[in-house]
Amino acid sequence: MSTKNKRKKKQREELAFREVERERAQTLRLRKPTTKQRMLYFFVGLIMNALPTYLFFSIYEMDLLKSLPLFGFVSIICSIILSMGYHNVSFFLKHRLLKKTGVNFQKQRTKKKVAGGEREERQKKQLESSITTQAVSLSLLYNSLFFLVIVLIFAFYITWIFEAHANYILSLAVASSIVTYISSTKIQ
Amino acid sequence: MKILLLIILLLTSFVFAAEEQANLVVEKDILVTTLPHTEEEFTILYTIYNVGNGPAYDVRLQDAENFPKGKYSTVLSQIDTNWDIVEAETNTTHAVILKRHAVGSDFIGPAKVLFKNTPNGQDITSTSTYIGRLNFTPKSPGESRKSPNWEHWIIFSVVAALVLVIPFLLFKKSEKKKKRLTMNLRKKK
């Protein structure tokens, strides 16, 4: 192969490598949730943890006032773990849905102004935001349902033999860990 | 002679009919659907029926012996109580809520009821029915799990459904918008 062809091939490989690196960096940047998203996931996680807490103090007759510090501490930790799971699934779903639309969301790098280009960009942004909403809501629905099912199975069929406080800690911690672990396997 | 005997009999019957006497029948019952455990409340109900033809005065119920203070504690009301009068052909009730602290078995015997036929008369004793032997065992962890607890499950289901419906509705709304925008963008191509 002539040196000219070799140089061209090398340049093409470098360009392709840079493109891949840029996409990877963008993906990593998008992979981090925004502050709004973090707050939303944490808030929903707290509500999801409050539901089995109600069952524990009504069916297992845990004293609400005496166990309040335990409820608070476990709920906060499990909400943080759950929020990671929520973001993993919403990130995975968002990319999948973006691919499915078949629309090119990358910004045009041409200097020429295309007719109707601004309107198209605005519509693309709206489409991206509706896909984000869709992915987040689906992630919240799926993970919350999954979490509740696992908590109920553990609390009433597997760890019920333990004392009420131990049962509470185990069922919530295990359920939130399983949900987050399974959600992380999706994005690998 | 016969007429004299009849007159005497009639007079004595009137005398006896005029003498009013109270006759108390006391029922003692435990109001539980399942046998109580230690540290679990249970209710004892005393029903006093006056089946006599006269009022009972100064009626006193005494049953503290069957529930010694070291083993039992009263949650509501008190075991021993009294009434000034229980009219003839009426009844009255008294309920007390107790809790037993220690594991064990007890024979819950009859209660004693003292009353008088006249305000200054002599005390007459009546005994109630008895409950019998009760075994108090500690509550096992799975006990409350096995009972239906319908109201708690209904509340939990309703709140969970409400919480899960909101993201579902958001998903449906954003899907419609996504379809519309995708079709618009594809048309332009």
Side-chain angles (χ1 to χ4, degrees):
Chain A
M1 211 189 278
S2 63
T3 48
K4 202 179 177 181
N5 283 343
K6 276 185 190 175
R7 222 185 297 137
K8 273 189 182 174
K9 193 185 172 191
K10 202 179 176 182
Q11 271 178 354
R12 262 185 267 131
E13 278 174 4
E14 269 181 29
L15 268 168
F17 179 73
R18 269 188 226 151
E19 193 65 38
V20 165
E21 280 295 314
R22 193 178 35 239
E23 265 190 40
R24 193 167 160 270
Q26 194 180 18
T27 308
L28 282 171
R29 190 171 42 83
L30 287 172
R31 202 168 162 172
K32 281 186 186 174
T34 60
T35 315
K36 261 189 188 176
Q37 282 177 338
R38 271 187 227 262
M39 281 171 62
L40 173 69
Y41 296 146
F42 182 72
F43 179 68
V44 174
L46 272 178
I47 295 173
M48 281 299 129
N49 279 290
L51 288 173
T53 305
Y54 165 74
L55 285 179
F56 272 91
F57 92 78
S58 58
I59 295 177
Y60 282 110
E61 292 166 0
M62 283 174 74
D63 195 331
L64 181 64
L65 287 171
K66 282 185 188 172
S67 311
L68 205 56
L70 175 74
F71 287 154
F73 180 72
V74 172
S75 294
I76 287 170
I77 300 290
C78 292
S79 304
I80 292 169
I81 298 171
L82 254 186
S83 63
M84 292 193 275
Y86 284 139
H87 180 67
N88 288 343
V89 174
S90 75
F91 173 77
F92 164 76
L93 282 170
K94 184 180 172 180
H95 271 258
R96 210 165 163 189
L97 289 168
L98 282 171
K99 263 189 184 176
K100 251 186 165 180
T101 55
V103 172
N104 184 12
F105 285 92
Q106 282 185 348
K107 278 188 180 176
Q108 302 294 327
R109 287 203 199 93
T110 54
K111 286 185 182 176
K112 288 181 192 174
K113 276 193 178 179
V114 182
E118 275 184 24
R119 196 179 164 201
E120 202 177 308
E121 285 299 320
R122 205 169 48 241
Q123 280 185 334
K124 278 185 184 175
K125 272 189 181 175
Q126 281 178 351
L127 180 61
E128 200 176 335
S129 111
S130 75
I131 285 172
T132 310
T133 312
Q134 208 179 7
V136 166
S137 52
L138 202 55
S139 153
L140 291 176
L141 178 66
Y142 169 75
N143 277 343
S144 303
L145 207 55
F146 195 20
F147 171 74
L148 283 177
V149 167
I150 297 176
V151 160
L152 293 178
I153 290 171
F154 269 83
F156 292 92
Y157 292 99
I158 298 173
T159 55
W160 67 273
I161 47 170
F162 297 111
E163 194 259 326
H165 293 91
N167 185 7
Y168 175 75
I169 294 168
L170 273 171
S171 50
L172 257 73
V174 167
S176 52
S177 308
I178 287 174
V179 166
T180 306
Y181 174 72
I182 288 175
S183 68
S184 68
T185 57
K186 282 186 183 296
I187 58 169
Q188 279 172 8
Chain B
M1 192 64 181
K2 281 182 187 175
I3 296 166
L4 189 64
L5 267 169
L6 199 65
I7 291 165
I8 291 165
L9 269 168
L10 270 169
L11 279 169
T12 45
S13 67
F14 277 126
V15 165
F16 278 120
E19 197 177 319
E20 291 177 336
Q21 275 191 328
N23 187 3
L24 296 186
V25 173
V26 187
E27 186 187 355
K28 180 176 169 180
D29 215 352
I30 183 166
L31 304 179
V32 284
T33 48
T34 55
L35 288 172
H37 298 279
T38 51
E39 302 300 334
E40 208 175 66
E41 294 168 4
F42 60 93
T43 307
I44 303 287
L45 180 70
Y46 303 92
T47 313
I48 299 172
Y49 301 91
N50 187 354
V51 297
N53 55 5
Y57 297 94
D58 193 21
V59 182
R60 285 153 282 157
L61 171 70
Q62 290 171 355
D63 200 20
E65 283 176 358
N66 281 314
F67 303 105
K69 272 192 177 174
K71 285 184 192 176
Y72 297 89
S73 60
T74 47
V75 176
L76 201 67
S77 185
Q78 54 192 9
I79 302 170
D80 293 349
T81 188
N82 60 326
W83 295 266
D84 290 333
I85 187 166
V86 176
E87 294 292 345
E89 293 171 13
T90 60
N91 63 342
T92 185
T93 55
H94 173 63
V96 60
I97 300 175
L98 300 160
K99 208 192 260 191
R100 190 187 151 109
H101 301 296
V103 172
S105 174
D106 277 338
F107 184 83
I108 311 294
K112 204 163 54 174
V113 173
L114 299 158
F115 66 99
K116 293 171 182 169
N117 274 325
T118 54
N120 301 316
Q122 278 186 326
D123 273 340
I124 302 165
T125 309
S126 182
T127 49
S128 71
T129 55
Y130 62 93
I131 290 167
R133 188 155 291 278
L134 286 178
N135 281 324
F136 289 89
T137 53
K139 205 170 181 177
S140 62
E143 204 70 41
S144 45
R145 183 186 77 99
K146 288 174 193 168
S147 55
N149 292 305
W150 288 118
E151 61 273 5
H152 302 306
W153 282 109
I154 287 168
I155 293 170
F156 170 78
S157 308
V158 165
V159 177
L162 278 170
V163 169
L164 293 172
V165 140
I166 295 167
F168 178 72
L169 291 173
L170 265 173
F171 168 73
K172 281 285 170 190
K173 190 182 169 187
S174 56
E175 201 182 359
K176 278 182 191 171
K177 193 180 175 185
K178 184 196 98 177
K179 271 184 185 170
R180 184 173 46 83
L181 288 165
T182 314
M183 275 172 67
N184 285 344
L185 283 165
R186 278 182 186 167
K187 269 182 196 172
K188 279 182 184 171
K189 278 187 181 177

